[in-house]
Amino acid sequence: MSKKRRNHSPEFKSKVALAAIKSDKTLTELSQQYGINSNLIVKWKKQLLEQSSEVFASGMGLAPDREPEIQSLQANIGQLTMENDFLSKALGR
């Protein structure tokens, strides 16, 4: 039988990569602790170091591409607030 391939979350990957960067433990100890191959740890550490500058690249913070989503959600909140006020007045509350 074939093994099912595990998919690790970005949070898990960053946690392991940061632990590797801190160098408190060896790669072998980290791979045993997290139950993954040491080659993965090296790969994730390299990715983190190469892409860390992107976090500070934009002046807007971590998620500049989410601005349209935020505006849409704020508009939705405004609409729901107006509907709530209208209904509460219509029901006499």
Side-chain angles (χ1 to χ4, degrees):
M1 285 194 193
S2 63
K3 271 183 141 179
K4 185 176 180 184
R5 189 177 181 136
R6 291 190 298 178
N7 291 326
H8 300 288
S9 69
E11 293 83 15
F12 178 76
K13 290 179 182 181
S14 64
K15 182 170 95 173
V16 173
L18 284 173
I21 290 173
K22 287 181 185 177
S23 301
D24 293 342
K25 298 181 179 180
T26 64
L27 282 176
T28 306
E29 291 172 335
L30 289 173
S31 66
Q32 289 174 351
Q33 178 182 349
Y34 293 109
I36 57 174
N37 192 313
S38 59
N39 290 333
L40 266 181
I41 297 173
V42 171
K43 179 181 173 184
W44 294 344
K45 178 182 172 182
K46 183 179 176 183
Q47 272 185 318
L48 179 65
L49 291 173
E50 288 175 352
Q51 297 175 357
S52 63
S53 62
E54 293 176 14
V55 173
F56 302 106
S58 69
M60 296 181 65
L62 294 175
D65 57 335
R66 297 190 66 176
E67 187 65 32
E69 181 184 1
I70 292 171
Q71 288 178 348
S72 169
L73 290 172
Q74 287 175 340
N76 196 7
I77 289 170
Q79 180 182 355
L80 291 173
T81 303
M82 288 176 48
E83 290 174 1
N84 232 1
D85 291 343
F86 175 76
L87 291 173
S88 65
K89 289 177 185 175
L91 295 174
R93 292 183 185 170

